[in-house]
Amino acid sequence: MGRFRKHVIQPILDCWSLIVGLKITGKYFCKPLITVHYPRQTIDSENLSTYGGHVELIGKPKDPATPKCISCMMCVTNCPSNCLKVVKQKAPKPTPEQEAAMKAAEEAGEKVVKPKAPKNPAKFMYDYTKCSLCGTCIDNCPPKSLRFSNNIYWVATSREEMNIDLLARLKEQATEVSGAAPTPKVEAPAPAEKEA
Amino acid sequence: MFGLPMILINLIIGVIASMAWLGLNALVLVYCERKFAGHIQRRPGPFEVGPHGVLQPLIDGVKLMSKQLLIPDNADGFLFWLAPILSMIPVLVLFMPIPFSPHFGLEVNLGLLLILAFSSFNGLAVILAGWSSNNKWGVLGAARAVSQTVAYEIPLLIVVMTISFMSGSLDMSVITEQQAGGMLHWNIFKQPLAFLIFIIAMFGETNRAPFDLAEAESELTAGFHTEYSSMGFGLFFMAEYGYMVVMSSVCAVLFLGGFHAPIPGLDSWIWMLLKIYAGLFLMIWARWTYPRVRFDQLLNINWKWLLPLATANLLVTAFVMKL
């Protein structure tokens, strides 16, 4: 009886699943479309926020134009596609007075304080054509200075345009934010004043 | 007129009209297929060419025609180009005995036989295409496609025989006539099992999904039409849609009362077209619902289920008719 059930009754019961399948696709046929006709419509920012576009730098909370990056090279070492390129800043050349002071300190046997190189990078290049958006750089960044952008409308006609200067982009974003949103407008000049 | 006998002019007009009908159907069905697929997957489908993409199939046709005609090295050129033509031409004949309306359609008392005989030409075309391509994938694909068509033809024939047993005729207009007088006289209610078998065999016979192993281009190297470019492939493609229309029409005539309306007194060719297109939409709907079956499954369904069921159905019908 078990064989009869397996080979005769079960297939007949299985035919019901065919009807169920037709019902499901029929239901989807009647539902409204969910795709967007891109050039005429775009996705709202709420949906964009979950999208992982190319990698970009995060600015310091008080100084959005400078990245949190400390040029530790963790992202470059861990990138499987080798698409990041970071150049550290060199220590500034001491002025003649500083040099004289340093020499004097050395002669006196005191501890010489050489000017340190700033931690933020001099250059942060990113080749989007090689990137596979794996997020390893983001996971490995100690100061949490990298994130996926939600820049999905990125079009270029040449490979070179896809080689993005992330520092320049961050600066652009900082000015854009301060230009567009009214609240950071007040805050944005504050760090500039401090620097001055 | 021009010294030509009237019958010749009629013939030429008839051939041109059926070619136009075939081409138009192919265009409309390609569009419907893509739109249906789109809506089932909740995307718009073709949208850019013309309003809602209605010109897309035309543009596709132009693109197909503008491609180069290629013949593989050492292939048999004559047979190679004969195959798509042989696949296409019989479809034109197949529309002849189908009664689209009370006054339209050839009354031949072997109408069904003619359809079954000429639709088998497709198997020959397929095997010629595969054989003459000088390509092992082509030969394998052709063997696969032919074993499928031949297998599914048998239950189809038996089911058709059941219906002609009941009506005592192979003339399609006679079969239609006997289903007159309302929906309940249609053969679908007298022979529900035969209808089911016919529908399944129709999918197999026209190489439609889930039985489209003849043309699984990404999984099975397309099979018999691997080497065909341009309109060579286009003709196979059009023939497939032609066979779909024919099979759907035969289904409408045999089981759904042909041009008869569900309520008596409203008979018109519109009902026939509605029924044909309902059948075609069922085929498209099924294509975007079911996954493709494996080849052994395909043959198992046919030899282990359809054939015994069709034979049992035929025997029972014969017994009941004799009583």
Side-chain angles (χ1 to χ4, degrees):
Chain A
M1 209 58 190
R3 275 173 67 92
F4 180 73
R5 200 188 142 69
K6 192 185 164 199
H7 292 288
V8 179
I9 297 185
Q10 196 56 44
I12 294 171
L13 291 178
D14 287 345
C15 287
W16 178 248
S17 69
L18 297 179
I19 309 282
V20 172
L22 281 181
K23 224 164 74 187
I24 290 170
T25 45
K27 213 167 67 191
Y28 273 110
F29 180 76
C30 300
K31 277 188 181 173
L33 307 178
I34 46 170
T35 44
V36 170
H37 294 194
Y38 164 56
R40 301 174 204 97
Q41 294 170 307
T42 45
I43 298 172
D44 54 6
S45 53
E46 195 188 329
N47 276 320
L48 266 185
S49 64
T50 54
Y51 179 83
H54 63 80
V55 172
E56 67 179 8
L57 284 168
I58 303 174
K60 287 178 181 166
K62 285 188 178 169
D63 180 11
T66 328
K68 282 188 193 168
C69 176
I70 51 169
S71 316
C72 65
M73 299 289 183
M74 282 300 273
C75 50
V76 180
T77 344
N78 285 303
C79 180
S81 331
N82 228 348
C83 60
L84 287 166
K85 198 173 167 188
V86 179
V87 177
K88 287 184 180 183
Q89 281 201 36
K90 278 180 186 155
K93 266 202 170 171
T95 52
E97 296 109 61
Q98 279 175 328
E99 232 167 300
M102 273 158 63
K103 241 179 205 171
E106 211 172 342
E107 277 165 13
E110 283 172 34
K111 208 179 174 189
V112 180
V113 189
K114 280 186 182 168
K116 273 184 188 164
K119 278 184 174 171
N120 49 329
K123 220 177 174 188
F124 205 113
M125 297 302 286
Y126 166 64
D127 194 350
Y128 195 17
T129 58
K130 288 186 194 163
C131 181
S132 51
L133 298 173
C134 65
T136 311
C137 53
I138 294 168
D139 293 340
N140 283 300
C141 184
K144 306 247 175 290
S145 178
L146 286 167
R147 68 172 171 212
F148 284 128
S149 69
N150 42 38
N151 181 16
I152 73 167
Y153 304 119
W154 184 278
V155 185
T157 50
S158 71
R159 237 159 220 280
E160 287 70 42
E161 279 175 69
M162 284 289 184
N163 209 351
I164 311 165
D165 186 350
L166 288 185
L167 283 177
R169 183 179 155 75
L170 185 69
K171 260 181 201 148
E172 232 169 73
Q173 274 175 324
T175 50
E176 254 173 46
V177 165
S178 59
T183 30
K185 212 174 191 177
V186 193
E187 281 179 32
E193 275 165 23
K194 257 182 207 167
E195 271 171 19
Chain B
M1 204 196 287
F2 310 121
L4 287 171
M6 204 54 205
I7 188 145
L8 191 65
I9 295 170
N10 276 351
L11 258 173
I12 292 169
I13 293 174
V15 166
I16 292 173
S18 42
M19 279 173 105
W21 163 245
L22 195 64
L24 201 72
N25 258 317
L27 282 186
V28 171
L29 284 177
V30 167
Y31 178 72
C32 290
E33 178 116 52
R34 293 179 64 178
K35 271 289 179 193
F36 240 71
H39 281 260
I40 281 172
Q41 293 155 3
R42 301 181 72 190
R43 57 185 173 81
F47 201 80
E48 297 300 322
V49 192
H52 274 267
V54 281
L55 296 179
Q56 188 69 51
L58 265 182
I59 298 295
D60 284 347
V62 170
K63 179 197 142 205
L64 209 60
M65 278 185 239
S66 64
K67 291 201 168 180
Q68 196 183 356
L69 292 164
L70 288 171
I71 300 182
D73 283 347
N74 302 324
D76 188 329
F78 176 68
L79 289 182
F80 188 74
W81 287 118
L82 185 67
I85 295 166
L86 206 60
S87 168
M88 186 69 192
I89 295 295
V91 189
L92 296 175
V93 183
L94 295 180
F95 285 108
M96 217 162 57
I98 296 170
F100 283 94
S101 82
H103 321 288
F104 191 80
L106 195 66
E107 280 191 29
V108 250
N109 48 15
L110 285 175
L112 265 176
L113 194 69
L114 187 130
I115 287 185
L116 293 169
F118 273 90
S119 66
S120 313
F121 259 89
N122 199 31
L124 182 65
V126 163
I127 204 144
L128 275 186
W131 177 253
S132 62
S133 290
N134 190 26
N135 178 334
K136 57 186 166 190
W137 312 119
V139 177
L140 282 174
R144 202 172 56 221
V146 166
S147 63
Q148 177 182 341
T149 11
V150 168
Y152 275 84
E153 219 157 71
I154 297 167
L156 194 82
L157 276 168
I158 294 174
V159 162
V160 168
M161 213 147 85
T162 317
I163 299 295
S164 67
F165 260 28
M166 279 176 63
S167 58
S169 170
L170 282 167
D171 188 344
M172 297 184 86
S173 23
V174 172
I175 294 172
T176 314
E177 226 28 74
Q178 283 175 347
Q179 298 177 67
M183 211 167 151
L184 293 173
H185 290 82
W186 294 357
N187 280 338
I188 180 174
F189 297 109
K190 294 176 193 158
Q191 291 280 1
L193 183 63
F195 177 69
L196 266 180
I197 295 170
F198 187 89
I199 290 281
I200 298 170
M202 179 167 89
F203 280 98
E205 192 52 17
T206 51
N207 295 337
R208 290 288 298 186
F211 305 133
D212 59 344
L213 284 114
E215 50 190 88
E217 66 272 10
S218 50
E219 297 89 347
L220 296 166
T221 345
F224 69 92
H225 58 61
T226 308
E227 294 291 352
Y228 282 89
S229 62
S230 182
M231 272 326 267
F233 169 74
L235 282 180
F236 279 122
F237 200 65
M238 266 175 75
E240 187 198 305
Y241 279 107
Y243 281 114
M244 270 170 72
V245 177
V246 169
M247 276 298 165
S248 192
S249 320
V250 172
C251 180
V253 167
L254 291 188
F255 294 99
L256 303 173
F259 51 80
H260 291 301
I263 307 151
L266 291 168
D267 301 349
S268 143
W269 54 271
I270 295 173
W271 289 107
M272 183 69 181
L273 280 192
L274 269 180
K275 285 165 190 170
I276 293 174
Y277 267 82
L280 292 171
F281 277 123
L282 177 74
M283 285 165 110
I284 296 176
W285 188 5
R287 171 165 184 188
W288 299 102
T289 303
Y290 304 137
R292 184 178 292 134
V293 295
R294 228 169 39 226
F295 198 70
D296 60 316
Q297 292 171 333
L298 175 123
L299 291 181
N300 273 345
I301 294 167
N302 182 63
W303 296 119
K304 288 188 182 168
W305 285 92
L306 295 188
L307 190 62
L309 280 177
T311 315
N313 194 44
L314 176 73
L315 288 178
V316 170
T317 311
F319 186 69
V320 171
M321 290 303 291
K322 203 68 199 163
L323 283 180

